[in-house]
Amino acid sequence: MRNWKFNHIDFSTYPGYKGKDLGVFWSPEKTTVKIWAPTANIVELRLYKDGVRGDAYYKTNLQKKEDGIWATVLTGDYDGKFYTFRVNDGEWLDEVPGIYARCVGANGLRGMIYNPNSTNPENWVYDNGPRFKSFTDAVIYETHVRDFSIAENSGITYKGKFLGFTEEGTKSPEGLKTGLDHLKELGITHVHLLPVNDFVTVDEEKPLEKYNWGYDPMHYSALEGSYATDAYDGRKRILEFKQLVKALHRNGIGVILDVVFNHTYYAKESVFNQVVPGYFYRQKDDGSFANASGCGNELASEREMVRKYIIDTLRYWVEEFHVDGFRFDLMGIHDIKTMQDIRVALNEIDKGLFVYGEGWAADQSPMPEELRAVKRNTSELKGIASFNDDFRDALKGNHGDKKSKGFVSGLGLREEGVKFGITAAVHHPDVNYGYIDSVHSAWAVEPDQCINYVSCHDNYTLWDKLKQSLPKAGNEELRKRVKLAAALVLTSQGVPLLHAGVDFCRTKGGNGNSYKSPDSVNQIDWSRKNEFIDVFEYFQKLIQLRKNHPAFRLPQAELIRRDLRFCAEYKIGVVSYCLDGSAVNDSWKKMFLLFNGNTETAELPLPEGQFKVVVNANTIDEDGLEVVEAFVSVDPISFKMLVQAEKG
């Protein structure tokens, strides 16, 4: 019986390898095979004609090389054949496709040898995504491949598939735009996709029988087959995902991938442990698997070949699939040095690639927090952003407590937490950090290190959270609160992220953890766009306002400290500030923004001069709605924005 405790092993003594040729690579004349397995005595390669069933038609042993490498060359054309490895390190481990499998058959059981050129859409070489001077110019829309199109009312043919993102002209039963056309109409700049790499818990041969978000990784470089039209031919999923990327890029929208390098679904049975037992995982003092992920294990990112594997994988997604960035699930589990090296490696390809993540872990790790990529260490993570959960909770209350409230649900004394988000979590002299429940100092150095959001796939949707914390509120009141949250997220400094469907009050029926709930819970109900069209149009115009005015996208913390000042008298339940757009050549030089979370009208004095109202509770008009001076009234539960009128 194998001992799955590793406190007797010093993994730092394992040899490293610096080559970029690990994996299985096809050419018409030969296929080269190379894996890293430093503890192996024998490495057997098996070839199959089918990706799921049948016996191996050919077996051969790899030859041992230096630095823990095992390799062989198969002479001839093996395009379309499948393979696995078996490692013997004193006893035989399970048959797996290896950790560098890039193309797999159904359910990832066997790797597939393939001609990568056959997976490229037409004119793929000319494909590229949007790039900005600063990441603060982005507006991110987080969605799940299946949720996006699976509903009957999506009007999309390829429901739940990669190809669902490529369809144009799709409409809801009410005649409103859905899918790709909806993204264009809304005006977002990037789609953030929940994991698209091969995960375990959806049977690709029966993809509609189960649902999962995909945070249960199996293969990191291969795509999930349940999102493809053919799960058996791994080439199809590659081609179809590239078609997704190309369609979004063609419409000026970038693609960000959610990556889950903090843990694997399987522990003992994982691909990693069946090639190099124990090496890829952190251990507790007793040698058992550490569990900062809360999922049974955590990857040891600080080890040389784990770090190399992560960087190799990210480079592959950029170079092969032209993706525009990565969101790291539980980034706070990874060591700082690995995240720094990731940023350096991606910069070598393209400095415009976006990197952000969750600056926390789910449980205790044996690696000390001061060495990990948690929020409080953001100063050491140049060019990497963290989610601002402090702003999220200040806006709507504690994420896990359905009854708790925040600023947009009418709870007073949350103003400093809201100001913390408005200033993109950078130090600002007007923020009193002692009055913020969740944090007591700034953690971002620059605004592009802060992802501002009010909801995401985790926990309750914004609509459901508001409904549960305000059980007596009617739909009209809840709409106002959603609009107020939208205004705060989309006018604040930093990088805004929107949960798909928040723009038309998405609901999951009060489900606060829908990671494996059915489509009836998770699907985007496109008919709600018609029901909440006023909310959608408010989001749409706020995004356009943000794009039109660089003052909402200040690229440096020093500009935020100088040109954004909380200039009005303090009132409980009200946040207001002055914004100067001169330094970034904004057409609006003097702006005054007011957010009223109370159920009563707020009256505030204005700076000297006349001011043009450009935003109120329901309308956004840059030409102006009215002119006011001396005092301004802000309706209950609403946002109002004024611009100093030009002298004429």
Side-chain angles (χ1 to χ4, degrees), residues 236-417:
K236 289 285 183 65
R237 58 184 86 179
I238 296 175
L239 171 62
E240 290 169 5
F241 183 69
K242 287 179 178 177
Q243 289 173 311
L244 173 155
V245 172
K246 185 181 176 187
L248 288 168
H249 282 175
R250 187 173 64 245
N251 288 284
I253 299 171
V255 178
I256 293 169
L257 299 189
D258 206 323
V259 289
V260 193
F261 289 109
N262 62 81
H263 78 281
T264 53
Y265 178 77
Y266 295 118
K268 297 174 186 176
E269 305 90 343
S270 76
V271 175
F272 297 112
N273 272 330
Q274 298 305 317
V275 177
V276 192
Y279 179 84
F280 283 83
Y281 297 89
R282 287 192 193 127
Q283 287 82 25
K284 302 175 187 175
D285 289 341
D286 67 359
S288 62
F289 293 114
N291 187 26
S293 68
C295 298
N297 58 81
E298 62 182 279
L299 262 64
S301 58
E302 69 280 8
R303 293 177 189 159
E304 178 184 358
M305 292 301 288
V306 184
R307 183 178 290 160
K308 172 181 167 55
Y309 175 77
I310 294 172
I311 292 172
D312 285 351
T313 303
L314 296 173
R315 291 181 67 99
Y316 171 69
W317 284 106
V318 171
E319 293 170 347
E320 184 66 24
F321 294 99
H322 303 176
V323 302
D324 306 288
F326 301 96
R327 177 266 192 191
F328 283 77
D329 185 61
L330 295 181
M331 182 174 71
I333 290 176
H334 300 314
D335 68 291
I336 292 169
K337 179 66 163 57
T338 291
M339 294 307 303
Q340 291 172 335
D341 286 359
I342 285 168
R343 184 69 267 180
V344 170
L346 293 179
N347 283 351
E348 290 172 357
I349 304 172
D350 182 347
K351 291 182 179 178
L353 296 167
F354 201 6
V355 177
Y356 58 96
E358 295 178 302
W360 52 81
D363 209 333
Q364 296 300 309
S365 173
M367 173 169 278
E369 188 173 89
E370 59 266 23
L371 301 178
R372 292 188 278 114
V374 295
K375 276 189 312 180
R376 72 183 182 98
N377 295 329
T378 302
S379 61
E380 298 183 60
L381 299 169
K382 184 179 180 181
I384 298 172
S386 289
F387 279 90
N388 190 354
D389 56 331
D390 307 296
F391 188 40
R392 175 199 67 192
D393 289 357
L395 291 178
K396 67 175 184 180
N398 181 275
H399 65 281
D401 180 356
K402 64 184 178 183
K403 294 183 179 180
S404 68
K405 298 176 183 178
F407 181 84
V408 302
S409 38
L411 183 65
L413 303 179
R414 290 296 176 270
E415 298 80 27
E416 298 305 315

Side-chain angles (χ1 to χ4, degrees), residues 75-190:
T75 304
D77 188 350
Y78 285 84
D79 187 21
K81 299 297 188 293
F82 295 87
Y83 67 88
T84 61
F85 299 101
R86 279 197 84 195
V87 169
N88 185 312
D89 64 349
E91 58 184 287
W92 285 105
L93 292 157
D94 293 343
E95 198 172 347
V96 292
I99 69 173
Y100 277 87
R102 297 177 176 91
C103 184
V104 295
N107 292 318
L109 300 175
R110 296 169 183 170
M112 188 177 190
I113 301 170
Y114 73 109
N115 173 2
N117 296 323
S118 68
T119 65
N120 290 340
E122 187 177 355
N123 295 321
W124 180 242
V125 68
Y126 301 111
D127 171 79
N128 55 72
R131 294 293 181 269
F132 300 117
K133 289 182 180 178
S134 170
F135 293 130
T136 57
D137 293 337
V139 179
I140 303 168
Y141 198 73
E142 181 213 55
T143 193
H144 180 273
V145 170
R146 185 155 148 180
D147 295 357
F148 188 68
S149 57
I150 197 69
E152 280 301 314
N153 61 18
S154 71
I156 294 170
T157 300
Y158 289 103
K159 289 179 169 55
K161 305 297 184 184
F162 292 135
L163 292 180
F165 284 83
T166 69
E167 299 179 43
E168 300 187 49
T170 61
K171 288 184 165 59
S172 69
E174 298 79 17
L176 297 179
K177 293 176 180 178
T178 65
L180 176 59
D181 288 355
H182 171 81
L183 299 176
K184 290 193 290 181
E185 184 182 28
L186 182 58
I188 54 92
T189 67
H190 290 75

Side-chain angles (χ1 to χ4, degrees), residues 419 430 565-571 574-578 592-594 603-607 632:
K419 289 162 65 175
D430 294 349
R565 302 310 300 259
F566 295 92
C567 55
E569 63 177 291
Y570 172 71
K571 286 181 180 289
V574 177
V575 173
S576 56
Y577 64 92
C578 299
F592 193 34
L593 289 82
L594 308 100
E603 295 267 345
L604 285 94
L606 285 171
V632 62

